[in-house]
Amino acid sequence: MPHDPNTTLDQWADQSDYKWGFVTDIDADTLPPGLDEDVIHIISARKGEPEWLLEWRLGAFAKWKEMAEPAWAHWPDRDWRPIDYQAISYFSAPKRDEDRPKSLDEVDPKLLETYEKLGIPLEERAALAGVAVDAVFDSVSVATTFRDTLAEAGVIFCSFSEAVQEHPDLVRKYLGKVVSRTDNFFAALNAAVFTDGSFVYIPKGVRCPMELSTYFRINQMNTGQFERTLIVADEGAYVSYLEGCTAPQRDENQLHAAVVELVALDDAEIKYSTIQNWYPGDENGVGGIYNFVTKRGLCAGHRSHISWTQVETGSAMTWKYPSCILKGDDSIGEFYSVALTNNHQQADTGTKMIHVGKRTRSNVVSKGISAGKGHNTYRGFVKILPGSDDSRNYTQCDSMLMGAECGAHTFPVIEVENRTAQVEHEASTTKIGEDQIFYCNQRGISSEDAVSMIVNGFCREVFAELPMEFAVEAKALLAVSLEDSVG
Amino acid sequence: MSLLEIKNLHASVEGIEILKGVNLTIEPGQVHSIMGPNGSGKSTLSRVIAGEETYEVTEGSVSLNGKDLLDMDPEARAREGIFLAFQYPVEIPGVSTKYFLRTAVNSIRAHRGLDELDAYGFLKLVKEKAAWVELDPALLDRPVNDGFSGGEKKRAEVFQMAMLEPTMCILDESDSGLDIDALRVVANGVNQQRSPERGFLVITHYQRLLEYIVPDVVHVLLDGQIVRSGGKELALELEAKGYSWIEQEVAAGA
């Protein structure tokens, strides 16, 4: 039906054929399942978006309808049930406080035990467990302190929705410039229906005065399943951004299709670290999140530098290839990854390094750990374009297997169109053997400590890239994720 | 009380019985040696004492200072004082030897009610004990046994033994693959650790090692049973006559 973007949501709901039972308190409501243009109109109207953004969404949606869900992934040992996109609700307001636990006493003790093991600071546990924040601690004051510090430096760090309102020119200039709205099936879906996410802008010559992490962890709960992040580092700027958290996050949404775009101008550097620990499903492979994410960075400027570091231990299925387009001369792209699959988890992850500019360099270190019946796939693409003189890539891809029922798979693709390029690919596969565990046991070390020691040793090059406190948490996370995986 | 007491020990792997009633008692301060042909069960015995789960104990008992070992996990046995110097020490890529050993030392110290060793105390101990087996301390920054030569592995095992200060040391063919100089170094490292409280069980094919580590008792293990025990001269006799001589005697006696 034709739609006037100026119509308020209430009016729109009234004239629609649907009887949604909308009441005045729209904040607490959830759209019924289903996806069509009307839903996109509602999302956009609900967020008070400008016309161009609505058009942008609708364009993505039109294209998405013509696209097919990708089927190329390698999924041994898991029945792929196509996702019913009409069964998903595309707008879900945050839970009302009265529906949440009132205090930590009402939270599942097992969850709290895990937080304890991971060393999550006490004040963050409540927020992570979904306790109504105001009931526990004053997050507003924490957030305000951070905000003041950032504002002094001129850094913009806010929710995506807020950025659309407050910094529309910046958003419009960069949105979809790295991952176009029709880049792939899930990116198109995200473009059509994303509800929120984060926006970061670091002005010229500014070094962001803090890791954008703690703040993020407290404030980015419930951003929904279609999250969108845009980070722009202007000339000579630097930012280190941390997404996610080691604590197991509960979420009823099965599909997560986020998009992250990074833009680094001349001499800028962006360090993006992720710890992903979404619900992996139970030990029989029932349930769990599908994590289908598009992450890409554009080294637009000369001597710019983008570095992706990820520790992926959660989700039932992960498809994720944080990539770099090295457009500026002398730009650098890096990808450091640890992906761990246990029970029936499947992770298909890797990177693309596209060398466009001259003397560009990329470095890829991928560590896949498979335990139980888990499968890990490394998928890499290195391309050196004709104009990219004297460029270099080094890829190291290591797999570790625990037990006899897991798998590791590697699909590296290298395309070199310039004779001056140097491209190296190294791969190894190791197995944690019972003999190694026994050897450790014989020296008085428990099996759990032994596994944790061996796995951490295997991952040390990647952990070295994480901000310090997260490296510590990541180690604990791997140990917890592998509990009971050795007999 | 005896240090190690093994009574009528039967053990099998994948349904095949390897140990068929081993009896062995080691007193504190003693060095016992076990010799025997290939396949007689020497390595199995060492691994059963250490608690490797591949082996199923079907009968008998093993105790250390009166405590039942068979009920314990391998790490608990190690903490109680069992140390096995492996014939083929495994490599653990990515884990530095120092880090590995510090974890081991501290888990054993915790069991003994001692404080954790701090970095300084640990490195001091490392320096002292590495000298016993003439081990290049630079090796200890490398991953556990990773890229070590055969000789370095054997020396590293004896070095680890010195670091962990066990009460019952089992050496499984610590002489195999060593040239005479390396053999002397390894034996010297072991001899430095002899004490009135500590017991040793030295498994070897060759009398040669026993010239350097002089045993109090020598046992011959044949087809899963100790068929003869004697003084160090028994080793010399075996060296001269081989095992078939004993096999025949045992067969005749049966």
Side-chain angles (χ1 to χ4, degrees):
Chain A
M1 63 177 265
H3 181 67
D4 172 4
N6 297 320
T7 320
T8 67
L9 183 53
D10 279 356
Q11 285 168 325
W12 192 88
D14 279 339
Q15 31 172 289
S16 84
D17 294 337
Y18 298 110
K19 295 288 172 269
W20 294 335
F22 262 30
V23 286
T24 45
D25 185 8
I26 290 169
D27 276 353
D29 263 316
T30 296
L31 279 184
L35 179 56
D36 55 19
E37 288 202 359
D38 296 342
V39 167
I40 293 165
H41 279 281
I42 294 181
I43 293 171
S44 191
R46 169 69 189 83
K47 306 186 85 59
E49 286 176 354
E51 177 76 30
W52 67 264
L53 189 49
L54 173 64
E55 289 306 322
W56 192 78
R57 287 176 180 274
L58 290 171
F61 180 65
K63 187 77 183 172
W64 178 77
K65 284 192 291 188
E66 298 165 9
M67 297 167 107
E69 192 178 67
W72 42 265
H74 181 67
W75 298 124
D77 180 49
R78 183 173 267 275
D79 294 326
W80 171 252
R81 281 171 295 130
I83 299 166
D84 180 356
Y85 295 92
Q86 296 303 331
I88 296 172
S89 168
Y90 290 86
F91 186 85
S92 162
K95 266 192 180 173
R96 273 175 295 190
D97 279 357
E98 51 264 41
D99 296 335
R100 298 158 159 236
K102 301 287 178 296
S103 73
L104 280 177
D105 299 340
E106 293 179 25
V107 172
D108 179 2
K110 271 197 131 168
L111 193 60
L112 295 179
E113 201 183 300
T114 309
Y115 292 169
E116 177 77 41
K117 281 184 198 161
L118 292 170
I120 305 287
L122 204 57
E123 63 271 18
E124 286 182 33
R125 292 183 199 172
L128 293 170
V131 173
V133 165
D134 293 341
V136 184
F137 72 108
D138 185 7
S139 71
V140 180
S141 67
V142 178
T144 311
T145 315
F146 284 136
R147 241 177 206 231
D148 288 349
T149 313
L150 291 174
E152 254 171 61
V155 171
I156 300 170
F157 180 30
C158 59
S159 73
F160 206 93
S161 313
E162 212 177 325
V164 169
Q165 303 301 329
E166 314 267 324
H167 311 282
D169 296 344
L170 276 174
V171 173
R172 193 170 185 177
K173 183 169 175 189
Y174 291 107
L175 177 68
K177 295 297 184 291
V178 188
V179 178
S180 91
R181 61 181 173 171
T182 55
D183 186 88
N184 65 67
F185 184 83
F186 293 106
L189 179 63
N190 176 289
V193 301
F194 74 91
T195 39
D196 216 332
S198 305
F199 177 79
V200 178
Y201 174 78
I202 317 289
K204 272 185 196 173
V206 170
R207 191 179 169 87
C208 185
M210 66 177 73
E211 306 261 356
L212 297 181
S213 60
T214 313
Y215 173 92
F216 181 81
R217 290 206 293 180
I218 297 172
N219 287 277
Q220 297 298 316
M221 300 285 104
N222 294 312
T223 42
Q225 49 188 345
F226 302 102
E227 202 178 324
R228 188 143 196 128
T229 302
L230 173 58
I231 299 176
V232 180
D234 212 324
E235 291 171 18
Y238 168 85
V239 62
S240 167
Y241 186 91
L242 201 130
E243 166 204 28
C245 145
T246 51
Q249 286 168 296
R250 299 282 150 178
D251 198 300
E252 291 103 44
N253 301 313
Q254 189 169 39
L255 173 64
H256 277 250
V259 171
V260 177
E261 297 181 274
L262 310 182
V263 181
L265 303 184
D266 285 352
D267 301 295
E269 179 176 354
I270 301 174
K271 195 171 160 55
Y272 192 105
S273 313
T274 303
I275 291 180
Q276 185 268 115
N277 190 23
W278 295 105
Y279 181 55
D282 68 14
E283 67 242 35
N284 300 313
V286 177
I289 304 283
Y290 297 163
N291 187 33
F292 301 153
V293 182
T294 306
K295 289 183 164 177
R296 197 173 301 152
L298 174 63
C299 282
H302 299 313
R303 298 165 303 278
S304 56
H305 184 170
I306 288 179
S307 174
W308 298 99
T309 305
Q310 61 175 20
V311 177
E312 303 277 321
T313 61
S315 298
M317 297 197 196
T318 299
W319 295 359
K320 191 179 162 188
Y321 317 94
S323 303
C324 296
I325 300 166
L326 302 168
K327 187 166 168 244
D329 292 343
D330 303 290
S331 59
I332 300 171
E334 292 171 306
F335 173 75
Y336 302 99
S337 171
V338 167
L340 181 153
T341 53
N342 199 354
N343 297 319
H344 290 260
Q345 281 176 278
Q346 313 254 320
D348 192 310
T349 186
T351 187
K352 295 181 198 173
M353 292 291 173
I354 314 295
H355 293 253
V356 184
K358 299 184 199 317
R359 298 171 304 277
T360 51
R361 280 182 289 144
S362 62
N363 197 26
V364 175
V365 178
S366 165
K367 306 276 179 175
I369 302 157
S370 311
K373 293 181 175 166
H375 283 265
N376 231 306
T377 299
Y378 170 80
R379 202 178 291 276
F381 181 54
V382 175
K383 182 162 180 108
I384 313 270
L385 284 142
S388 181
D389 294 336
D390 301 313
S391 291
R392 291 205 317 251
N393 161 266
Y394 173 74
T395 299
Q396 184 189 334
C397 173
D398 298 327
S399 305
M400 177 176 269
L401 301 168
M402 297 172 64
E405 294 180 275
C406 57
H409 317 273
T410 309
F411 302 96
V413 176
I414 298 170
E415 285 178 14
V416 179
E417 297 175 12
N418 185 309
R419 287 173 175 278
T420 60
Q422 277 181 45
V423 177
E424 289 173 76
H425 182 96
E426 276 184 25
S428 76
T429 304
T430 51
K431 197 168 185 297
I432 295 194
E434 280 170 17
D435 53 344
Q436 286 174 322
I437 305 289
F438 178 64
Y439 187 81
C440 294
N441 290 158
Q442 213 302 303
R443 301 301 186 248
I445 300 167
S446 70
S447 298
E448 279 186 6
D449 287 349
V451 169
S452 159
M453 194 162 68
I454 294 168
V455 168
N456 284 322
F458 178 69
C459 300
R460 69 191 187 290
E461 294 142 286
V462 174
F463 288 164
E465 298 297 325
L466 283 175
M468 177 75 116
E469 70 272 30
F470 275 85
V472 174
E473 283 186 25
K475 284 181 189 177
L477 174 61
L478 288 197
V480 171
S481 304
L482 285 171
E483 260 178 20
D484 307 322
S485 59
V486 274
Chain B
M1 193 181 1
S2 302
L3 178 62
L4 184 75
E5 194 155 20
I6 301 174
K7 283 185 189 161
N8 189 32
L9 184 64
H10 291 254
S12 46
V13 59
E14 289 166 356
I16 300 162
E17 189 167 60
I18 311 281
L19 300 182
K20 302 172 178 173
V22 173
N23 291 290
L24 177 66
T25 302
I26 298 177
E27 302 299 335
Q30 282 188 334
V31 175
H32 286 229
S33 174
I34 290 196
M35 301 181 77
N38 289 329
S40 58
K42 302 188 299 293
S43 282
T44 300
L45 178 63
S46 70
R47 285 172 168 254
V48 167
I49 298 171
E52 189 170 331
E53 281 163 10
T54 328
Y55 301 93
E56 191 194 352
V57 174
T58 50
E59 209 183 327
S61 66
V62 180
S63 63
L64 181 73
N65 287 318
K67 285 188 194 169
D68 179 8
L69 281 185
L70 297 181
D71 262 1
M72 297 181 199
D73 291 337
E75 59 267 35
R77 299 181 197 201
R79 291 168 194 166
E80 285 292 336
I82 296 282
F83 184 95
L84 171 60
F86 286 81
Q87 184 181 2
Y88 303 109
V90 295
E91 301 180 356
I92 310 181
V95 178
S96 90
T97 307
K98 264 184 197 156
Y99 182 78
F100 170 81
L101 259 184
R102 203 171 155 196
T103 309
V105 165
N106 282 330
S107 69
I108 286 172
R109 285 178 68 92
H111 181 74
R112 292 177 186 163
L114 298 168
D115 287 342
E116 282 204 351
L117 269 187
D118 61 15
Y120 176 76
F122 176 75
L123 289 177
K124 204 176 138 199
L125 197 65
V126 163
K127 211 173 157 191
E128 180 193 330
K129 305 286 163 105
W132 286 8
V133 285
E134 298 173 27
L135 193 68
D136 179 2
L139 269 188
L140 304 174
D141 292 320
R142 299 234 301 261
V144 179
N145 296 318
D146 197 10
F148 288 24
S149 71
E152 284 168 341
K153 283 183 182 172
K154 296 288 163 82
R155 270 191 273 175
E157 289 292 285
V158 176
F159 162 70
Q160 287 191 28
M161 183 192 287
M163 289 294 293
L164 299 180
E165 302 184 333
T167 49
M168 181 67 225
C169 308
I170 305 163
L171 292 100
D172 188 5
E173 300 199 20
S174 293
D175 53 339
S176 66
L178 293 186
D179 62 35
I180 195 74
D181 293 332
L183 181 72
R184 217 177 270 139
V185 169
V186 164
N188 186 38
V190 172
N191 286 332
Q192 299 235 34
Q193 297 179 54
R194 290 183 71 161
S195 79
E197 300 80 34
R198 193 167 283 157
F200 289 85
L201 184 60
V202 180
I203 294 169
T204 182
H205 269 297
Y206 304 107
Q207 189 272 338
R208 197 177 62 168
L209 177 67
L210 304 181
E211 283 174 18
Y212 298 98
I213 306 173
V214 182
D216 299 298
V217 187
V218 174
H219 308 275
V220 178
L221 189 68
L222 205 63
D223 192 25
Q225 283 184 316
I226 289 178
V227 294
R228 182 153 308 191
S229 302
K232 62 181 181 221
E233 63 287 346
L234 178 56
L236 289 168
E237 203 177 346
L238 287 169
E239 180 96 341
K241 295 158 97 179
Y243 292 111
S244 54
W245 148 73
I246 296 191
E247 278 167 18
Q248 282 157 13
E249 278 199 14
V250 171

